[in-house]
Amino acid sequence: MDPESVPCTIKLPVPLQVGDVKTDQARPGVYVIDVTFPKSQDVDVSEISFKNYYTAFLTVRIQQQRRPSDPRGNPPAWRTCIKSQRLMPNPHMEDGSQDYVSLRKSQMICGTDHVTAIRLILRQPSPVWLNFTLEDLQINPSGKQSPQKGFSWLLSQLPPKEQLQSLHKGLPDPNKVSSEVQQMWALTEVMKANQSTATIGRFDSGCATQVANERILSRT
Amino acid sequence: LASLPSVKMAILKRRRAVGGSPVPRPTASPVSEAELLARSGVRGILREAVLKLLEARPEEPSAFLADYFEKLGQDLAEGAAPHSDHGSYLLGQQRLGRAMWYLRLAHHSQRTAFNNNLSMAYNCLSAGGRKKKPGLNGKSYSEVLRRICREGDLSEDISSVLLKKIQCRDHEAVPFDVFRYGVLTCFVLLEFMSKAEILFRSLDFHEQPDRSLCQAVLGTLEEALVASDISVPASYLEAGSKLGPDCLAVVMDRALLRKDAGVSMTLQEFLQEASALFLHKVKPVL
Protein backbone atom coordinates (compact mmCIF):
# COMPACT_ATOMS: atom_id res chain seq x y z
CA MET A 1 0.00 0.00 0.00
CA ASP A 2 1.14 3.50 -0.77
CA PRO A 3 2.55 5.08 2.40
CA GLU A 4 0.54 8.24 1.77
CA SER A 5 -2.82 6.54 1.49
CA VAL A 6 -5.26 6.65 4.38
CA PRO A 7 -5.81 3.49 6.37
CA CYS A 8 -9.35 2.42 5.61
CA THR A 9 -11.59 -0.61 5.65
CA ILE A 10 -12.64 -1.78 2.19
CA LYS A 11 -15.61 -4.07 2.39
CA LEU A 12 -16.23 -6.94 0.00
CA PRO A 13 -18.21 -6.09 -3.15
CA VAL A 14 -21.93 -6.65 -2.66
CA PRO A 15 -23.88 -7.64 -5.82
CA LEU A 16 -27.19 -5.99 -6.63
CA GLN A 17 -29.43 -8.62 -8.11
CA VAL A 18 -33.07 -9.41 -8.59
CA GLY A 19 -33.96 -12.95 -7.52
CA ASP A 20 -31.93 -15.53 -5.66
CA VAL A 21 -28.16 -15.06 -5.85
CA LYS A 22 -27.28 -18.76 -5.74
CA THR A 23 -29.84 -20.31 -8.03
CA ASP A 24 -30.33 -17.55 -10.57
CA GLN A 25 -28.38 -18.05 -13.77
CA ALA A 26 -28.11 -14.34 -14.59
CA ARG A 27 -25.00 -12.64 -13.31
CA PRO A 28 -25.27 -9.34 -11.44
CA GLY A 29 -24.57 -6.17 -13.41
CA VAL A 30 -23.93 -3.95 -10.40
CA TYR A 31 -21.57 -4.30 -7.46
CA VAL A 32 -21.29 -1.94 -4.51
CA ILE A 33 -18.07 -1.50 -2.52
CA ASP A 34 -18.18 0.40 0.77
CA VAL A 35 -15.14 2.10 2.26
CA THR A 36 -15.06 3.28 5.85
CA PHE A 37 -12.36 4.98 7.88
CA PRO A 38 -11.27 3.74 11.28
CA LYS A 39 -12.51 5.39 14.45
CA SER A 40 -15.06 7.43 12.52
CA GLN A 41 -12.38 9.91 11.54
CA ASP A 42 -12.98 12.12 8.53
CA VAL A 43 -10.63 12.50 5.59
CA ASP A 44 -10.16 15.22 3.00
CA VAL A 45 -10.06 13.05 -0.10
CA SER A 46 -7.92 14.37 -2.93
CA GLU A 47 -7.50 11.24 -5.02
CA ILE A 48 -9.03 7.81 -5.47
CA SER A 49 -6.83 5.35 -7.32
CA PHE A 50 -7.34 1.71 -8.25
CA LYS A 51 -6.69 -0.95 -10.85
CA ASN A 52 -9.74 -1.72 -12.92
CA TYR A 53 -10.91 -5.27 -13.47
CA TYR A 54 -13.61 -5.29 -16.18
CA THR A 55 -15.76 -2.54 -14.67
CA ALA A 56 -17.40 -0.44 -17.37
CA PHE A 57 -18.86 2.46 -15.36
CA LEU A 58 -18.09 3.80 -11.95
CA THR A 59 -20.14 6.05 -9.71
CA VAL A 60 -18.67 7.31 -6.42
CA ARG A 61 -20.83 8.61 -3.61
CA ILE A 62 -19.58 10.09 -0.36
CA GLN A 63 -20.94 10.77 3.06
CA GLN A 64 -19.57 13.86 4.77
CA GLN A 65 -19.41 14.93 8.37
CA ARG A 66 -22.50 16.78 9.49
CA ARG A 67 -22.19 20.56 9.29
CA PRO A 68 -23.71 22.72 12.04
CA SER A 69 -26.24 24.11 9.53
CA ASP A 70 -27.57 20.66 8.61
CA PRO A 71 -30.90 19.53 10.04
CA ARG A 72 -30.44 17.40 13.11
CA GLY A 73 -31.65 13.86 13.48
CA ASN A 74 -31.24 12.56 9.95
CA PRO A 75 -27.98 10.83 9.08
CA PRO A 76 -25.74 12.90 6.81
CA ALA A 77 -26.88 12.75 3.18
CA TRP A 78 -24.99 10.84 0.50
CA ARG A 79 -23.60 13.03 -2.27
CA THR A 80 -22.40 11.97 -5.68
CA CYS A 81 -18.87 13.06 -6.51
CA ILE A 82 -18.22 10.92 -9.60
CA LYS A 83 -21.17 10.10 -11.83
CA SER A 84 -21.01 7.15 -14.24
CA GLN A 85 -17.37 7.59 -15.12
CA ARG A 86 -16.69 5.44 -18.19
CA LEU A 87 -13.75 3.12 -17.52
CA MET A 88 -14.10 0.92 -20.62
CA PRO A 89 -14.83 2.67 -23.94
CA ASN A 90 -16.84 -0.33 -25.10
CA PRO A 91 -18.13 -2.63 -22.34
CA HIS A 92 -17.97 -5.66 -24.63
CA MET A 93 -14.34 -5.08 -25.58
CA GLU A 94 -11.10 -5.49 -23.64
CA ASP A 95 -10.06 -1.83 -23.94
CA GLY A 96 -9.49 -0.20 -20.55
CA SER A 97 -10.57 -3.34 -18.74
CA GLN A 98 -7.41 -3.56 -16.63
CA ASP A 99 -6.17 0.02 -16.58
CA TYR A 100 -4.77 1.81 -13.59
CA VAL A 101 -7.12 4.72 -12.89
CA SER A 102 -6.68 7.74 -10.68
CA LEU A 103 -9.61 10.08 -10.05
CA ARG A 104 -8.47 13.49 -8.83
CA LYS A 105 -10.25 16.17 -6.89
CA SER A 106 -10.68 18.31 -10.03
CA GLN A 107 -12.73 15.54 -11.66
CA MET A 108 -15.17 15.32 -8.78
CA ILE A 109 -18.43 17.21 -9.04
CA CYS A 110 -18.80 18.03 -5.36
CA GLY A 111 -16.53 18.99 -2.50
CA THR A 112 -14.70 16.09 -0.86
CA ASP A 113 -13.76 17.47 2.55
CA HIS A 114 -14.51 15.70 5.84
CA VAL A 115 -15.52 12.44 4.17
CA THR A 116 -16.59 9.74 6.62
CA ALA A 117 -17.62 7.01 4.16
CA ILE A 118 -17.26 6.26 0.46
CA ARG A 119 -19.48 4.03 -1.65
CA LEU A 120 -18.32 2.87 -5.06
CA ILE A 121 -21.00 1.65 -7.45
CA LEU A 122 -19.60 -0.54 -10.22
CA ARG A 123 -21.59 -1.33 -13.35
CA GLN A 124 -20.94 -3.72 -16.19
CA PRO A 125 -23.82 -4.03 -18.65
CA SER A 126 -22.08 -6.60 -20.83
CA PRO A 127 -22.74 -10.29 -20.00
CA VAL A 128 -19.44 -11.26 -21.66
CA TRP A 129 -17.39 -11.01 -18.50
CA LEU A 130 -17.69 -13.55 -15.71
CA ASN A 131 -16.86 -11.10 -12.96
CA PHE A 132 -15.80 -7.49 -12.45
CA THR A 133 -14.36 -5.47 -9.59
CA LEU A 134 -11.75 -2.88 -8.61
CA GLU A 135 -8.35 -3.85 -7.23
CA ASP A 136 -5.67 -2.05 -5.16
CA LEU A 137 -8.13 0.62 -4.09
CA GLN A 138 -6.43 3.54 -2.37
CA ILE A 139 -7.81 6.74 -0.92
CA ASN A 140 -5.21 9.50 -0.82
CA PRO A 141 -5.78 12.47 1.47
CA SER A 142 -5.00 16.07 0.67
CA GLY A 143 -3.16 18.46 2.94
CA LYS A 144 0.21 16.73 2.70
CA GLN A 145 2.98 19.18 3.29
CA SER A 146 5.11 19.20 0.19
CA PRO A 147 8.71 18.25 0.94
CA GLN A 148 10.03 21.37 -0.80
CA LYS A 149 8.17 23.56 1.63
CA GLY A 150 9.91 21.76 4.49
CA PHE A 151 13.32 22.27 2.95
CA SER A 152 12.89 25.99 2.46
CA TRP A 153 11.87 26.24 6.11
CA LEU A 154 15.06 24.45 7.09
CA LEU A 155 17.18 26.75 4.95
CA SER A 156 15.60 29.84 6.47
CA GLN A 157 16.55 28.52 9.92
CA LEU A 158 20.25 28.57 9.05
CA PRO A 159 22.10 31.58 10.47
CA PRO A 160 22.92 34.30 7.93
CA LYS A 161 26.51 34.88 6.87
CA GLU A 162 26.83 38.31 8.51
CA GLN A 163 25.97 36.80 11.87
CA LEU A 164 28.65 34.17 11.44
CA GLN A 165 31.32 36.73 10.62
CA SER A 166 30.61 38.79 13.73
CA LEU A 167 31.14 35.85 16.10
CA HIS A 168 33.38 35.83 19.12
CA LYS A 169 36.98 35.20 18.15
CA GLY A 170 37.81 32.81 20.95
CA LEU A 171 35.27 30.16 20.04
CA PRO A 172 36.26 26.50 19.95
CA ASP A 173 36.50 25.12 16.41
CA PRO A 174 32.85 24.70 15.37
CA ASN A 175 33.73 22.05 12.77
CA LYS A 176 35.37 19.81 15.32
CA VAL A 177 32.64 20.37 17.91
CA SER A 178 29.97 19.72 15.31
CA SER A 179 31.59 16.52 14.11
CA GLU A 180 31.81 15.10 17.64
CA VAL A 181 28.28 16.13 18.57
CA GLN A 182 26.93 14.63 15.37
CA GLN A 183 28.67 11.34 16.08
CA MET A 184 27.16 11.30 19.56
CA TRP A 185 23.78 11.92 18.02
CA ALA A 186 24.28 9.13 15.48
CA LEU A 187 25.31 6.68 18.21
CA THR A 188 22.19 7.45 20.20
CA GLU A 189 20.14 6.85 17.07
CA VAL A 190 21.90 3.51 16.53
CA MET A 191 20.87 2.50 20.02
CA LYS A 192 17.31 3.72 19.46
CA ALA A 193 17.02 1.90 16.15
CA ASN A 194 18.02 -1.39 17.75
CA GLN A 195 15.51 -1.30 20.55
CA SER A 196 13.86 -4.66 20.80
CA THR A 197 10.19 -5.24 21.12
CA ALA A 198 10.86 -8.50 22.94
CA THR A 199 10.12 -8.61 26.62
CA ILE A 200 11.10 -11.01 29.31
CA GLY A 201 7.52 -11.04 30.48
CA ARG A 202 7.71 -9.32 33.81
CA PHE A 203 4.29 -9.07 35.31
CA ASP A 204 5.20 -7.25 38.46
CA SER A 205 6.97 -4.15 37.11
CA GLY A 206 3.71 -2.31 36.45
CA CYS A 207 2.49 -3.09 39.94
CA ALA A 208 5.80 -2.05 41.44
CA THR A 209 5.63 1.40 39.87
CA GLN A 210 2.04 1.71 40.94
CA VAL A 211 2.90 0.84 44.51
CA ALA A 212 5.79 3.30 44.42
CA ASN A 213 3.54 6.03 43.08
CA GLU A 214 0.95 5.37 45.75
CA ARG A 215 3.65 5.59 48.37
CA ILE A 216 4.76 8.95 47.03
CA LEU A 217 1.16 10.13 46.98
CA SER A 218 0.49 9.02 50.54
CA ARG A 219 3.63 10.84 51.67
CA THR A 220 2.48 14.10 50.13
CA LEU B 1 67.37 -55.69 34.76
CA ALA B 2 63.85 -56.36 33.68
CA SER B 3 62.61 -53.04 35.12
CA LEU B 4 64.30 -50.77 32.57
CA PRO B 5 62.43 -51.90 29.43
CA SER B 6 59.13 -51.81 31.33
CA VAL B 7 59.68 -48.10 32.23
CA LYS B 8 60.44 -47.39 28.56
CA MET B 9 57.27 -49.16 27.55
CA ALA B 10 55.26 -47.15 30.04
CA ILE B 11 56.62 -43.85 28.65
CA LEU B 12 55.85 -44.92 25.13
CA LYS B 13 52.35 -45.95 26.11
CA ARG B 14 51.70 -42.61 27.79
CA ARG B 15 52.92 -40.75 24.75
CA ARG B 16 50.52 -42.64 22.56
CA ALA B 17 47.67 -41.98 24.97
CA VAL B 18 48.34 -38.24 24.97
CA GLY B 19 48.23 -38.28 21.21
CA GLY B 20 51.75 -37.95 19.94
CA SER B 21 54.75 -36.04 21.10
CA PRO B 22 55.14 -32.39 20.05
CA VAL B 23 57.95 -33.34 17.64
CA PRO B 24 56.71 -35.72 14.96
CA ARG B 25 58.65 -38.91 14.77
CA PRO B 26 60.55 -39.37 11.52
CA THR B 27 58.55 -41.61 9.28
CA ALA B 28 59.83 -43.97 6.71
CA SER B 29 58.83 -41.93 3.66
CA PRO B 30 59.37 -38.14 3.57
CA VAL B 31 56.06 -36.22 3.80
CA SER B 32 55.34 -33.43 1.34
CA GLU B 33 54.47 -29.98 2.69
CA ALA B 34 50.90 -30.14 1.45
CA GLU B 35 50.37 -33.48 3.09
CA LEU B 36 51.78 -32.20 6.35
CA LEU B 37 49.41 -29.23 6.35
CA ALA B 38 46.46 -31.44 5.57
CA ARG B 39 47.36 -33.93 8.28
CA SER B 40 47.81 -31.37 11.03
CA GLY B 41 44.63 -29.46 10.23
CA VAL B 42 46.54 -26.18 10.00
CA ARG B 43 44.72 -25.25 6.85
CA GLY B 44 41.34 -25.37 8.58
CA ILE B 45 42.61 -23.39 11.55
CA LEU B 46 44.10 -20.69 9.34
CA ARG B 47 41.02 -20.47 7.19
CA GLU B 48 38.85 -20.05 10.28
CA ALA B 49 41.14 -17.28 11.52
CA VAL B 50 41.16 -15.45 8.19
CA LEU B 51 37.38 -15.72 7.98
CA LYS B 52 37.05 -14.16 11.41
CA LEU B 53 39.50 -11.45 10.36
CA LEU B 54 37.50 -10.67 7.22
CA GLU B 55 34.31 -10.59 9.23
CA ALA B 56 35.60 -8.20 11.83
CA ARG B 57 37.87 -6.04 9.59
CA PRO B 58 39.90 -4.82 12.55
CA GLU B 59 42.20 -1.85 12.27
CA GLU B 60 45.22 -3.84 13.41
CA PRO B 61 45.05 -7.30 11.85
CA SER B 62 48.15 -8.70 13.53
CA ALA B 63 46.95 -7.78 17.02
CA PHE B 64 43.58 -9.28 16.18
CA LEU B 65 45.16 -12.54 14.99
CA ALA B 66 47.46 -12.69 17.99
CA ASP B 67 44.46 -12.36 20.27
CA TYR B 68 42.56 -14.94 18.27
CA PHE B 69 45.29 -17.56 18.42
CA GLU B 70 45.96 -16.87 22.07
CA LYS B 71 42.33 -17.62 22.82
CA LEU B 72 42.47 -20.70 20.63
CA GLY B 73 45.49 -21.92 22.58
CA GLN B 74 43.70 -21.35 25.88
CA ASP B 75 40.75 -23.34 24.66
CA LEU B 76 42.99 -26.25 23.70
CA ALA B 77 44.70 -26.13 27.06
CA GLU B 78 41.33 -26.23 28.79
CA GLY B 79 40.51 -29.30 26.79
CA ALA B 80 37.55 -27.87 24.96
CA ALA B 81 37.39 -28.29 21.25
CA PRO B 82 36.68 -24.89 19.75
CA HIS B 83 33.67 -24.41 17.47
CA SER B 84 32.52 -27.95 18.06
CA ASP B 85 29.52 -27.74 20.33
CA HIS B 86 29.89 -24.23 21.72
CA GLY B 87 31.59 -25.57 24.80
CA SER B 88 28.70 -27.50 26.23
CA TYR B 89 30.70 -28.64 29.22
CA LEU B 90 32.39 -25.37 30.06
CA LEU B 91 32.14 -23.96 33.52
CA GLY B 92 30.40 -20.68 34.22
CA GLN B 93 33.49 -18.46 34.20
CA GLN B 94 34.86 -20.10 31.07
CA ARG B 95 31.56 -19.63 29.30
CA LEU B 96 31.57 -15.99 30.25
CA GLY B 97 35.14 -15.53 29.07
CA ARG B 98 34.36 -17.20 25.78
CA ALA B 99 31.23 -15.09 25.28
CA MET B 100 33.14 -11.90 26.01
CA TRP B 101 35.77 -12.96 23.50
CA TYR B 102 33.12 -13.38 20.80
CA LEU B 103 31.58 -10.03 21.60
CA ARG B 104 34.91 -8.23 21.35
CA LEU B 105 35.80 -9.77 17.99
CA ALA B 106 33.98 -7.24 15.83
CA HIS B 107 32.92 -3.63 16.24
CA HIS B 108 29.17 -3.12 16.39
CA SER B 109 29.18 -1.12 13.16
CA GLN B 110 30.28 -4.31 11.32
CA ARG B 111 26.71 -5.35 11.58
CA THR B 112 26.79 -8.86 10.10
CA ALA B 113 29.93 -9.89 11.93
CA PHE B 114 28.71 -8.39 15.18
CA ASN B 115 25.36 -10.13 14.90
CA ASN B 116 27.06 -13.45 14.15
CA ASN B 117 29.27 -13.06 17.16
CA LEU B 118 26.30 -12.06 19.28
CA SER B 119 24.48 -15.25 18.47
CA MET B 120 27.67 -17.29 19.06
CA ALA B 121 28.01 -15.65 22.47
CA TYR B 122 24.34 -16.21 23.21
CA ASN B 123 24.58 -19.89 22.27
CA CYS B 124 27.72 -20.27 24.31
CA LEU B 125 26.12 -18.72 27.38
CA SER B 126 22.86 -20.56 27.05
CA ALA B 127 24.16 -24.06 26.27
CA GLY B 128 23.07 -26.65 28.74
CA GLY B 129 25.58 -28.58 30.80
CA ARG B 130 25.89 -31.03 33.61
CA LYS B 131 24.47 -28.71 36.23
CA LYS B 132 22.97 -26.06 34.00
CA LYS B 133 19.69 -26.07 32.17
CA PRO B 134 19.77 -24.69 28.62
CA GLY B 135 18.83 -21.05 28.16
CA LEU B 136 20.34 -17.75 29.23
CA ASN B 137 19.40 -16.56 32.67
CA GLY B 138 19.39 -13.01 33.92
CA LYS B 139 22.42 -13.64 36.12
CA SER B 140 24.86 -14.42 33.31
CA TYR B 141 23.33 -11.73 31.11
CA SER B 142 23.77 -9.03 33.73
CA GLU B 143 27.30 -10.27 34.39
CA VAL B 144 28.15 -9.87 30.69
CA LEU B 145 26.82 -6.31 30.72
CA ARG B 146 28.75 -5.51 33.89
CA ARG B 147 31.95 -6.85 32.36
CA ILE B 148 31.55 -4.82 29.18
CA CYS B 149 31.05 -1.67 31.23
CA ARG B 150 34.02 -2.45 33.46
CA GLU B 151 36.34 -3.22 30.57
CA GLY B 152 35.28 0.01 28.91
CA ASP B 153 36.27 1.96 32.04
CA LEU B 154 32.81 3.33 32.42
CA SER B 155 32.43 5.18 35.69
CA GLU B 156 30.47 3.41 38.38
CA ASP B 157 27.60 5.89 38.67
CA ILE B 158 26.96 5.96 34.91
CA SER B 159 27.09 2.20 34.50
CA SER B 160 24.78 1.64 37.45
CA VAL B 161 22.11 3.83 35.84
CA LEU B 162 22.48 1.93 32.57
CA LEU B 163 22.42 -1.47 34.22
CA LYS B 164 19.40 -0.60 36.27
CA LYS B 165 17.55 -0.03 33.03
CA ILE B 166 18.65 -3.03 30.99
CA GLN B 167 19.77 -5.78 33.33
CA CYS B 168 17.54 -8.68 34.28
CA ARG B 169 16.94 -10.45 37.53
CA ASP B 170 18.95 -13.57 38.23
CA HIS B 171 16.19 -16.08 37.62
CA GLU B 172 14.72 -14.50 34.51
CA ALA B 173 15.05 -16.14 31.09
CA VAL B 174 16.58 -13.72 28.61
CA PRO B 175 15.47 -13.95 24.97
CA PHE B 176 18.02 -13.26 22.25
CA ASP B 177 16.49 -9.91 21.28
CA VAL B 178 16.87 -8.56 24.79
CA PHE B 179 20.43 -9.90 25.01
CA ARG B 180 21.28 -8.27 21.69
CA TYR B 181 19.82 -4.92 22.68
CA GLY B 182 21.50 -4.93 26.07
CA VAL B 183 24.95 -5.80 24.78
CA LEU B 184 24.72 -3.39 21.86
CA THR B 185 23.57 -0.58 24.13
CA CYS B 186 26.58 -1.11 26.39
CA PHE B 187 29.03 -1.00 23.50
CA VAL B 188 27.35 2.03 21.94
CA LEU B 189 27.36 3.87 25.26
CA LEU B 190 31.09 3.21 25.65
CA GLU B 191 31.71 4.75 22.25
CA PHE B 192 29.35 7.61 23.05
CA MET B 193 31.35 8.35 26.19
CA SER B 194 34.67 8.37 24.35
CA LYS B 195 33.19 10.81 21.81
CA ALA B 196 31.92 12.95 24.67
CA GLU B 197 35.44 13.05 26.10
CA ILE B 198 36.88 14.20 22.76
CA LEU B 199 34.13 16.80 22.58
CA PHE B 200 35.05 18.06 26.03
CA ARG B 201 38.70 18.40 25.00
CA SER B 202 37.76 20.35 21.89
CA LEU B 203 35.64 22.76 23.94
CA ASP B 204 38.51 23.21 26.31
CA PHE B 205 40.58 25.99 24.76
CA HIS B 206 41.72 27.50 28.04
CA GLU B 207 42.44 25.33 31.04
CA GLN B 208 38.86 24.27 31.65
CA PRO B 209 35.90 24.93 29.41
CA ASP B 210 33.21 27.35 30.41
CA ARG B 211 30.17 25.78 32.03
CA SER B 212 27.58 27.69 30.05
CA LEU B 213 29.41 26.80 26.84
CA CYS B 214 29.33 23.10 27.67
CA GLN B 215 25.71 23.21 28.64
CA ALA B 216 24.77 25.07 25.47
CA VAL B 217 26.40 22.40 23.30
CA LEU B 218 24.82 19.56 25.24
CA GLY B 219 21.49 21.36 25.15
CA THR B 220 21.70 21.52 21.36
CA LEU B 221 22.40 17.81 21.25
CA GLU B 222 19.41 17.19 23.47
CA GLU B 223 17.19 19.27 21.17
CA ALA B 224 18.31 17.19 18.21
CA LEU B 225 17.65 13.96 20.07
CA VAL B 226 14.17 15.05 21.01
CA ALA B 227 13.40 16.34 17.52
CA SER B 228 14.47 13.25 15.58
CA ASP B 229 11.64 10.81 15.15
CA ILE B 230 12.11 7.64 13.16
CA SER B 231 8.61 7.84 11.68
CA VAL B 232 9.15 11.35 10.30
CA PRO B 233 12.22 11.24 8.02
CA ALA B 234 12.31 15.02 7.54
CA SER B 235 12.83 15.45 11.28
CA TYR B 236 16.35 14.07 10.84
CA LEU B 237 17.17 16.90 8.45
CA GLU B 238 15.93 19.40 10.97
CA ALA B 239 17.82 17.79 13.82
CA GLY B 240 20.94 17.48 11.68
CA SER B 241 20.85 21.14 10.69
CA LYS B 242 20.83 22.08 14.36
CA LEU B 243 24.09 20.21 14.83
CA GLY B 244 25.82 21.77 11.82
CA PRO B 245 28.94 23.89 12.44
CA ASP B 246 27.11 27.16 11.67
CA CYS B 247 24.27 26.64 14.13
CA LEU B 248 26.63 25.37 16.81
CA ALA B 249 28.92 28.36 16.34
CA VAL B 250 25.99 30.71 16.93
CA VAL B 251 24.90 28.75 20.00
CA MET B 252 28.40 28.78 21.47
CA ASP B 253 28.79 32.48 20.73
CA ARG B 254 25.56 33.24 22.54
CA ALA B 255 26.67 31.12 25.50
CA LEU B 256 30.01 32.94 25.76
CA LEU B 257 28.34 36.34 25.71
CA ARG B 258 26.34 35.62 28.82
CA LYS B 259 29.08 33.69 30.52
CA ASP B 260 29.26 33.66 34.24
CA ALA B 261 32.86 34.62 34.65
CA GLY B 262 35.16 31.88 35.73
CA VAL B 263 32.60 29.12 36.25
CA SER B 264 34.12 26.07 34.64
CA MET B 265 33.12 22.48 34.24
CA THR B 266 35.13 19.37 35.01
CA LEU B 267 35.39 16.43 32.67
CA GLN B 268 33.52 14.26 35.13
CA GLU B 269 30.55 16.62 35.32
CA PHE B 270 30.49 16.91 31.56
CA LEU B 271 30.51 13.15 31.05
CA GLN B 272 27.79 12.77 33.63
CA GLU B 273 25.53 15.24 31.85
CA ALA B 274 26.28 13.83 28.41
CA SER B 275 25.56 10.28 29.54
CA ALA B 276 22.24 11.39 30.98
CA LEU B 277 21.13 12.42 27.47
CA PHE B 278 21.93 8.97 26.14
CA LEU B 279 20.56 7.06 29.10
CA HIS B 280 17.32 8.95 28.93
CA LYS B 281 16.73 7.39 25.51
CA VAL B 282 17.51 3.84 26.61
CA LYS B 283 14.36 1.80 26.68
CA PRO B 284 14.12 -0.17 29.91
CA VAL B 285 13.79 -3.92 29.68
CA LEU B 286 10.44 -5.08 30.95
Side-chain angles (χ1 to χ4, degrees), chain A residues 21-200:
Chain A
V21 184
K22 279 181 187 161
T23 53
D24 223 350
Q25 289 296 308
R27 283 188 289 271
V30 179
Y31 276 101
V32 175
I33 299 176
D34 272 344
V35 178
T36 54
F37 300 109
K39 287 180 274 174
S40 66
Q41 75 180 73
D42 57 316
V43 174
D44 298 348
V45 176
S46 79
E47 189 186 36
I48 299 173
S49 58
F50 53 86
K51 180 177 180 275
N52 188 20
Y53 188 81
Y54 296 97
T55 302
F57 301 98
L58 175 70
T59 296
V60 180
R61 309 197 73 196
I62 54 169
Q63 202 171 29
Q64 284 165 305
Q65 205 175 44
R66 190 194 305 274
R67 283 184 218 124
S69 61
D70 287 353
R72 284 176 154 255
N74 302 336
W78 286 93
R79 303 171 75 191
T80 306
C81 67
I82 302 277
K83 196 168 185 181
S84 289
Q85 172 83 30
R86 187 184 276 271
L87 302 178
M88 290 165 69
N90 184 338
H92 301 291
M93 303 292 187
E94 280 274 355
D95 277 359
S97 60
Q98 294 185 53
D99 281 1
Y100 283 90
V101 181
S102 166
L103 300 168
R104 308 199 134 266
K105 203 166 185 170
S106 54
Q107 292 168 271
M108 301 184 189
I109 53 179
C110 70
T112 53
D113 297 340
H114 304 295
V115 176
T116 52
I118 301 176
R119 175 166 289 173
L120 301 130
I121 301 161
L122 288 56
R123 291 193 295 134
Q124 177 50 275
S126 169
V128 183
W129 315 112
L130 273 178
N131 201 1
F132 62 96
T133 185
L134 302 180
E135 294 170 346
D136 300 339
L137 184 62
Q138 285 182 8
I139 314 293
N140 295 326
S142 55
K144 283 272 163 198
Q145 200 185 26
S146 82
Q148 273 159 358
K149 217 169 163 186
F151 282 128
S152 63
W153 178 83
L154 274 180
L155 291 177
S156 70
Q157 289 295 102
L158 292 178
K161 240 184 182 161
E162 302 82 62
Q163 194 184 350
L164 290 177
Q165 279 160 354
S166 63
L167 290 181
H168 199 271
K169 287 284 172 280
L171 277 186
D173 181 10
N175 285 318
K176 183 138 180 20
V177 171
S178 167
S179 122
E180 294 307 325
V181 175
Q182 285 189 27
Q183 287 186 51
M184 286 163 74
W185 176 47
L187 284 167
T188 316
E189 290 300 326
V190 165
M191 183 273 296
K192 270 164 76 183
N194 280 290
Q195 279 172 355
S196 73
T197 48
T199 62
I200 48 174

Side-chain angles (χ1 to χ4, degrees), chain A residues 151 153-154 157-159 163-164 166-185 187-202 204-205, chain B residues 167-169 172-173 175 177-178 180-181 184 188 191-192 195-196 198-199 202 205 217 221 225 228 236-240 243-250 252-253 256 278 281-283 285-286:
Chain A
F151 282 128
W153 178 83
L154 274 180
Q157 289 295 102
L158 292 178
Q163 194 184 350
L164 290 177
S166 63
L167 290 181
H168 199 271
K169 287 284 172 280
L171 277 186
D173 181 10
N175 285 318
K176 183 138 180 20
V177 171
S178 167
S179 122
E180 294 307 325
V181 175
Q182 285 189 27
Q183 287 186 51
M184 286 163 74
W185 176 47
L187 284 167
T188 316
E189 290 300 326
V190 165
M191 183 273 296
K192 270 164 76 183
N194 280 290
Q195 279 172 355
S196 73
T197 48
T199 62
I200 48 174
R202 253 178 228 170
D204 52 347
S205 49
Chain B
Q167 76 185 355
C168 294
R169 284 166 223 167
E172 281 168 338
D177 251 13
V178 171
R180 178 172 174 280
Y181 175 57
L184 186 77
V188 173
E191 202 174 333
F192 182 89
K195 294 289 169 205
I198 300 173
L199 173 64
S202 61
F205 58 103
V217 172
L221 175 61
L225 286 174
S228 46
Y236 282 92
L237 284 175
E238 193 192 328
L243 300 181
D246 292 357
C247 282
L248 274 175
V250 171
M252 290 192 291
D253 186 56
L256 280 184
F278 182 93
K281 293 283 168 191
V282 174
K283 191 177 130 194
V285 168
L286 288 177

Side-chain angles (χ1 to χ4, degrees), chain B residues 1 9 22 56 86 94 167 196 239:
Chain B
L1 275 177
M9 284 298 284
H86 307 303
Q94 288 170 334
Q167 76 185 355

Side-chain angles (χ1 to χ4, degrees), chain B residues 33 180 182 190 220 251 266:
Chain B
E33 279 95 346
R180 178 172 174 280
L190 290 181
T220 317
V251 166
T266 63

Side-chain angles (χ1 to χ4, degrees), chain B residues 45-90:
Chain B
I45 295 171
L46 285 179
R47 185 167 57 200
E48 195 70 31
V50 172
L51 276 177
K52 277 283 166 213
L53 181 84
L54 287 176
E55 233 181 45
R57 293 164 190 267
E59 277 174 21
E60 288 172 32
S62 48
F64 177 87
L65 286 177
D67 187 43
Y68 179 88
F69 283 117
E70 188 185 350
K71 184 69 193 172
L72 205 65
Q74 278 173 20
D75 284 343
L76 286 176
E78 283 162 9
H83 311 298
S84 57
D85 49 0
H86 307 303
S88 60
Y89 44 87
L90 288 182

